[in-house]
Amino acid sequence: MADLISGVNSSSTGGTTTTQTTERTIKNELGKDDFLKLLIAQLTNQDPLDPLKDQDFIAQMAQFTALEQTTNMAKGIETLTKLSMTSAVGYVGRVVGYTDDEGNSKAGTVQYVEFKDGAVTLKLTDGSSLALDKVEQVA
C-alpha cells in the first residue's frame, strides 16, 4: 500500500498568511515505467567523457526485459485463475467423477462452487468438498 506524506508550508507577506498543503504518494514497488524514467535520466545526465559502458546498458536492458516478462506472466496467471472460476460455475448441477484420497473412484453432483483465497472448491450434494483440479470426468 502506498503511504501518504503531507506537509504544510506557511508564508506571510505584509500581514497576509498563506498556507499550502503538499501531498505526495510513496510507492513501495517500482514498475517498468519507473525503470524507464530512471534509465532515461541516467542516459541524459551521464558524463560525456565517461559514457555508460555497453555492458552496463545491456545488463539494464536485460533487467527491464525480465521485469516486463514477469509482469506479463502475472497478468496471464490472473487471467487463467478467472477462467478456471468461470468454468467451475458450469459444473453446478452436473455429475463429476474423481478419485478420493484412498484411490477409490467416486462420483457426485455439484451443488455449488466456492471461491476462497484463490482456490476453487466444488461442494457436492453429499456434503463433501472437491478441489477443481481433482475432477476427472464430467457428465
Side-chain angles (χ1 to χ4, degrees):
M1 291 193 159
D3 297 324
L4 191 63
I5 296 177
S6 297
V8 177
N9 299 327
S10 298
S11 62
S12 61
T13 44
T16 305
T17 303
T18 57
T19 303
Q20 179 183 8
T21 303
T22 58
E23 295 182 358
R24 66 183 176 130
T25 303
I26 297 175
K27 295 194 287 186
N28 293 330
E29 297 178 6
L30 292 175
K32 63 182 178 181
D33 293 335
D34 299 314
F35 182 82
L36 279 176
K37 287 177 187 175
L38 286 171
L39 184 61
I40 290 169
Q42 182 180 16
L43 290 173
T44 56
N45 296 314
Q46 68 180 338
D47 182 5
L49 299 175
D50 186 24
L52 188 64
K53 307 288 187 275
D54 288 341
Q55 296 88 356
D56 295 337
F57 185 73
I58 291 170
Q60 289 177 349
M61 289 307 293
Q63 288 174 340
F64 174 70
T65 302
L67 172 67
E68 190 168 23
Q69 288 174 350
T70 303
T71 303
N72 292 340
M73 191 174 2
K75 287 179 185 176
I77 290 171
E78 184 178 325
T79 302
L80 284 175
T81 301
K82 289 178 183 177
L83 183 62
S84 72
M85 289 177 159
T86 304
S87 67
V89 172
Y91 292 167
V92 175
R94 301 192 66 185
V95 177
V96 293
Y98 62 98
T99 303
D100 66 7
D101 294 335
E102 289 81 35
N104 301 321
S105 293
K106 291 194 170 191
T109 304
V110 179
Q111 185 176 9
Y112 65 95
V113 180
E114 182 177 76
F115 307 106
K116 191 174 185 180
D117 298 326
V120 179
T121 306
L122 305 176
K123 298 296 184 172
L124 305 180
T125 53
D126 65 359
S128 62
S129 297
L130 177 66
L132 181 61
D133 60 347
K134 300 272 185 176
V135 173
E136 297 171 351
Q137 300 169 347
V138 181

